[in-house]
Amino acid sequence: MRVAGARVLITGGSSGVGAAVARVMAGAGAKVVVAGRDRERLEAVAAQTGGLAVVSDVTADGELLAGCAGNVDVLVNNAGAGWAGPLVEMAPGRVDELVAVNLAAPIHLTRLLLPRMIEAGRGHVVFVASIAGAVGVGREAVYSAAKAGLIVFAEALRQELRAVPGVGVSVIVPGVVDTPFFLRRGAPYDRRWPPPIPPERVARCVLRAVERGRAESYVPGWLRVPARLRGSLPGLYRGLAGRLG
């Protein structure tokens, strides 16, 4: 769909991928609405993009956010939270938080905004998932599960909307991105490979997905290989993953 003139709501828009998506969308002529909990950073992004900042918690303020954002043409479900470590050391509240932020909140917000898109015959929903959801990552079991659920939800929703003209669904599957995400999860990224990519690269992929109606995009593209290998030859994949891990 055409992004110029479209109203785009981006969750998790105060920094990282969300802020980069806001800048890229604004550069393409979109009217940007950024949502998040950090008022200062959110308002800075809104000022950079000429957009609107809505301070909110995506897990609790879905209806408020939908009302403040107005008639949304493109929804970018980007807000996310992570945690790294052994599952047995994970607090129950943290489990609930990861599932709420990474899976339940995007589902609820999409449910609220989708009817208007269907009625208008114009709209696009983007889900920013993770390679962890496509292959599973050790010491990130809950995060991997939530992102896997998001990928499957996007696929099911895409099938549901096949007969609806003008409304698209895209899932973005990034690898390691150079953002504050790892510091916030409590464990920095300490592997030499693969190297982190800049958030702007993911943002450009989001824009292309909306403009070209792409169902699924991996960033970088080679990540499609391990994802497909796990699906077609799971035993081989597990053996290789064990050696690399």
Side-chain angles (χ1 to χ4, degrees):
M1 65 172 285
R2 182 178 173 83
V3 170
R7 192 170 184 84
V8 181
L9 171 59
I10 305 154
T11 65
S14 63
S15 64
V17 171
V21 171
R23 291 189 290 267
V24 167
M25 287 290 184
K31 301 172 185 177
V32 171
V33 181
V34 286
R37 292 181 292 183
D38 191 321
R39 179 182 296 275
E40 184 175 351
R41 290 186 177 183
L42 206 63
E43 291 179 347
V45 174
Q48 291 173 357
T49 59
L52 172 68
V54 180
V55 180
S56 59
D57 181 344
V58 73
T59 65
D61 303 327
E63 293 191 11
L64 171 66
L65 179 55
C68 292
N71 292 328
V72 173
D73 300 301
V74 179
L75 169 61
V76 181
N77 288 296
N78 167 73
W83 191 89
L87 178 64
V88 294
E89 295 180 7
M90 195 174 186
R94 195 67 169 139
V95 173
D96 295 340
E97 179 188 355
L98 261 65
V99 173
V101 175
N102 296 308
L103 181 58
I107 291 175
H108 286 303
L109 190 56
T110 299
R111 182 186 60 82
L112 288 169
L113 295 177
L114 191 58
R116 188 265 169 189
M117 295 182 187
I118 295 173
E119 181 181 358
R122 180 176 186 268
H124 205 100
V125 182
V126 180
F127 299 94
V128 180
S130 167
I131 189 60
V135 300
V137 175
R139 297 173 61 85
E140 295 183 56
V142 177
Y143 177 75
S144 296
K147 289 297 188 180
L150 197 63
I151 293 172
V152 175
F153 175 73
E155 179 61 36
L157 184 62
R158 188 181 304 111
Q159 293 182 28
E160 182 177 321
L161 296 174
R162 280 185 301 183
V164 179
V167 180
V169 178
S170 297
V171 63
I172 311 298
V173 186
V176 183
V177 187
D178 187 10
T179 72
F181 171 85
F182 295 99
L183 294 177
R184 291 172 182 165
R185 76 174 186 177
Y189 181 72
D190 55 5
R191 297 182 181 181
R192 294 183 179 180
W193 189 87
I197 61 174
E200 289 75 18
R201 188 169 174 181
V202 182
R204 290 192 294 270
C205 187
V206 171
L207 176 62
R208 289 194 298 270
V210 175
E211 290 183 329
R212 303 175 188 178
R214 291 181 175 174
E216 185 179 69
S217 301
Y218 285 78
V219 199
W222 64 262
L223 286 176
R224 190 179 300 273
V225 175
R228 296 294 182 263
L229 183 62
R230 179 190 174 276
S232 59
L233 297 169
L236 177 59
Y237 170 78
R238 292 185 191 114
L240 292 173
R243 293 180 184 179
L244 293 174

